Amino acid sequence: MANKLNLTLKVWRQDNAADGGRFETYPARGIDEDMSFLEMLDVVNEELIEDGKEPIAFDSDCREGICGTCSLVINGIPHGGRKGTTACQLHMRNFKDGQTISIEPWRARAFPVIRDLIVDRSAFDRIIQVGGFVSVRTGGTPDANSMPISKEVSDKAMDAAQCIGCGACVAACKNGSAMLFVAAKVSHLNLLPQGKPEKTRRAERMVWKMDEEGFGGCSVTGSCEAVCPKEISLDFIAKLNRDFALSVFK
Amino acid sequence: MKLITGIFQSTLGRKYIMAVSGAALVFFVVGHLMGNLQIFLGREVINAYGEFLHSVPELLWGARIGLLAMVGLHIWSAVSLSNDNKAARPIAYENWNPTAASYASRTMLMSGLIIATFIIYHLLHYTLQVPGINFTGQDFGTFEELRAGHDPRHDVYRMMVVGFSQPLVALFYICAIGLLCLHLSHGVSAAFQSLGLKSKTWAPILDKGAKVFAIVVFVGYASIPTAVLLGLGKEVMK
Ligand code: FES
């Protein structure tokens, strides 16, 4: 039988974007240590509903670490601080019985809180809309291997393409910077032959959009890389710095 | 136009400015250290070096103006980025764990501004030689080395010895150098990243290299006031 945990949650509650918000404390009793963090919240919410209270609003979708919807700052760390793990994949066995856990939303000007722990991340979509695509007519399915791509390059592009756009990088950065996200999205296309023709234009547009959306600048603290559930490397930020420089001097 | 806005307005461009101006200032920090360490080679050597620096005023002023411009750009980019960065997180976290971010990386603005204050004092102290602020009751501007068969020249050696013999001034100097060391331990490797010159392979070398470099700079600069407090140059104290 799995161990049961009794925890205290300090949760950010906010009725809507205009509300000032506040912390509220809830007990989480008899939590199975094999539960995920979100399942634990489900249990707490059922109790809240039974008591006639508003359940805690939080985002989730796939619950298997691939969609990037879950977004909780747990004890001061986006996704809770377990390497390469999203909040939905974080198990309660990582916590100690009797522990108090603080849960906050992503905090950034560009990610306004909609309700409780849910933030509006459409700023990311708008960044993708200005350059996160390849503008060519694709036609029919091309022959396999008609476009040779070395293993090194494809591996690197795949590493960048791992980004699930959850926004933990922004949440963790002391500057609320979206550099890791933008770098990953720019790099995964810029590295491949299909994306090369628009390389500098893509970097330029996405960087300007990022600035315009009100994200901060990168000061190379490395927090983003440390919390990224997909372990996207700071290397891509260096690459973005190069690609943007090329666009400026072009 | 794209060049100007790209560099002066975008967050990435302002980081290029910060990195390039920072690199120029790092070169100065090294050159200045090399110059200063000549105090250990004796009065003759460092006074001759001082005389040499002042021998071509056009070059000296060119370098000074260039440095001032670099300092200006460095501070401007830092303050303007920092304002944007603060605005990007209007509501702070209640419970915050600065994952992986080093102390130095989180305090760059503060360490930088304190160093800037120190530099102002340092210029008044040894460059403009304002008597009132050296707390020794002496006027460094009047220090001259008299040599048979030559014109007298400014006695840099005596100025440094007398200046650092004031323990509070020496302490302030050492503290400021300590902050510079902290600043460089992050700044040097971050500059490579901002200019896109860092990669996974080089990252550990650059990160460690920056720390070692910062410590070398600290030991180098701090050795001078320390040596004076331990008795270097007692003979010129009178
Ligand atoms: S809910 Fe899909 S990644 Fe967590």
Side-chain angles (χ1 to χ4, degrees):
Chain A
M1 254 278 289
N3 276 332
K4 299 278 183 198
L5 303 173
N6 290 312
L7 305 157
T8 307
L9 306 184
K10 232 183 116 199
V11 185
W12 181 258
R13 303 301 307 261
Q14 183 173 336
D15 296 340
N16 52 50
D19 176 30
R22 74 241 151 241
F23 278 96
E24 266 169 41
T25 308
Y26 305 102
R29 278 177 295 249
I31 300 298
D32 196 315
E33 65 168 10
D34 290 338
M35 279 181 188
S36 75
F37 199 85
L38 302 190
E39 284 165 341
M40 180 275 292
L41 285 179
D42 291 339
V43 170
V44 173
N45 272 348
E46 299 219 346
E47 283 175 18
L48 286 175
I49 294 168
E50 269 169 31
D51 293 351
K53 293 186 188 137
E54 272 294 319
I56 302 161
F58 63 92
D59 251 337
S60 80
D61 189 7
C62 70
R63 298 209 175 189
E64 54 184 15
I66 54 168
C67 74
T69 309
C70 55
S71 49
L72 303 172
V73 174
I74 302 163
N75 285 337
I77 308 178
H79 293 305
R82 199 180 145 80
K83 205 170 153 49
T85 308
T86 52
C88 58
Q89 291 281 293
L90 182 69
H91 289 97
M92 294 315 293
R93 65 184 84 98
N94 294 297
F95 297 88
K96 284 192 234 34
D97 189 37
Q99 198 178 343
T100 298
I101 303 173
S102 79
I103 312 173
E104 291 180 72
W106 283 180
R107 294 232 182 259
R109 178 173 58 169
F111 289 163
V113 173
I114 299 171
R115 188 184 178 89
D116 297 344
L117 302 168
I118 300 179
V119 298
D120 176 0
R121 282 170 283 182
S122 54
F124 271 11
D125 300 335
R126 290 188 292 272
I127 294 174
I128 295 295
Q129 278 161 14
V130 299
F133 49 78
V134 172
S135 14
V136 285
R137 279 180 230 285
T138 49
T141 316
D143 282 343
N145 298 328
S146 63
M147 193 181 277
I149 302 170
S150 74
K151 166 121 174 74
E152 257 167 47
V153 170
S154 72
D155 280 356
K156 234 184 169 179
M158 281 305 288
D159 285 347
Q162 293 259 327
C163 172
I164 52 176
C166 64
C169 44
V170 175
C173 176
K174 79 175 181 61
N175 308 327
S177 171
M179 278 290 269
L180 195 64
F181 166 77
V182 176
K185 295 301 176 192
V186 168
S187 298
H188 98 258
L189 296 176
N190 278 8
L191 282 163
L192 295 172
Q194 296 93 331
K196 281 254 160 73
E198 295 169 288
K199 180 176 158 179
T200 51
R201 187 172 65 185
R202 176 176 299 116
E204 184 187 358
R205 288 190 178 168
M206 290 176 79
V207 163
W208 279 113
K209 192 68 189 166
M210 162 182 90
D211 285 0
E212 191 190 309
E213 290 288 347
F215 294 102
C218 175
S219 59
V220 203
T221 66
S223 293
C224 53
E225 182 186 46
V227 303
C228 176
K230 298 296 150 187
E231 299 176 70
I232 308 274
S233 158
L234 286 182
D235 278 18
F236 293 114
I237 294 187
K239 178 169 167 47
L240 178 61
N241 279 321
R242 286 199 295 278
D243 290 353
F244 184 74
L246 287 178
S247 85
V248 167
F249 289 104
K250 205 167 141 180
Chain B
M1 200 52 210
K2 191 163 107 181
L3 186 71
I4 306 286
T5 53
I7 291 184
F8 284 88
Q9 284 177 12
S10 72
T11 47
L12 275 70
R14 280 175 284 160
K15 288 297 289 197
Y16 301 158
I17 295 182
M18 182 176 296
V20 170
S21 58
L25 294 173
V26 165
F27 279 111
F28 170 75
V29 161
V30 173
H32 190 50
L33 176 61
M34 297 301 190
N36 288 358
L37 286 177
Q38 295 178 47
I39 190 174
F40 293 111
L41 302 177
R43 189 179 192 177
E44 259 304 300
V45 177
I46 193 153
N47 285 359
Y49 175 68
E51 195 179 17
F52 158 73
L53 283 185
H54 286 83
S55 57
V56 191
E58 292 81 1
L59 278 183
L60 180 68
W61 277 101
R64 282 176 173 172
I65 291 167
L67 274 171
L68 211 62
M70 289 301 139
V71 171
L73 285 171
H74 202 66
I75 295 179
W76 169 79
S77 55
V79 170
S80 107
L81 279 167
S82 159
N83 286 340
D84 286 1
N85 295 347
K86 290 206 178 81
R89 170 147 314 129
I91 303 170
Y93 289 101
E94 157 111 353
N95 184 358
W96 180 234
N97 184 332
T99 324
S102 66
Y103 180 75
S105 76
R106 287 179 281 127
T107 52
M108 290 300 273
L109 186 72
M110 213 9 97
S111 56
L113 290 177
I114 298 172
I115 294 165
T117 316
F118 162 75
I119 292 173
I120 294 172
Y121 175 77
H122 191 58
L123 289 175
L124 294 172
H125 190 208
Y126 284 139
T127 308
L128 296 173
Q129 296 155 13
V130 176
I133 57 134
N134 64 40
F135 305 110
T136 61
Q138 302 194 52
D139 183 355
F140 296 166
T142 63
F143 288 7
E144 280 190 335
E145 183 191 13
L146 304 169
R147 293 170 307 156
H150 290 282
D151 285 341
R153 65 181 171 194
H154 185 225
D155 196 347
V156 181
Y157 185 81
R158 183 155 166 239
M159 176 175 82
M160 287 167 81
V161 170
V162 172
F164 285 136
S165 65
Q166 161 53 249
L168 283 180
V169 171
L171 190 70
F172 180 38
Y173 182 90
I174 293 172
C175 290
I177 295 301
L179 281 177
L180 178 65
C181 166
L182 186 74
H183 199 79
L184 292 177
S185 72
H186 173 72
V188 170
S189 71
F192 281 91
Q193 171 79 354
S194 297
L195 294 173
L197 303 173
K198 203 169 159 182
S199 69
K200 263 234 154 59
T201 330
W202 286 96
I205 300 166
L206 286 171
D207 291 345
K208 277 202 198 78
K211 290 193 183 95
V212 170
F213 172 74
I215 291 169
V216 169
V217 166
F218 176 76
V219 171
Y221 275 106
S223 70
I224 300 167
T226 309
V228 168
L229 290 176
L230 293 176
L232 176 80
K234 268 203 300 275
E235 67 283 358
V236 297
M237 285 292 291
K238 284 202 214 122

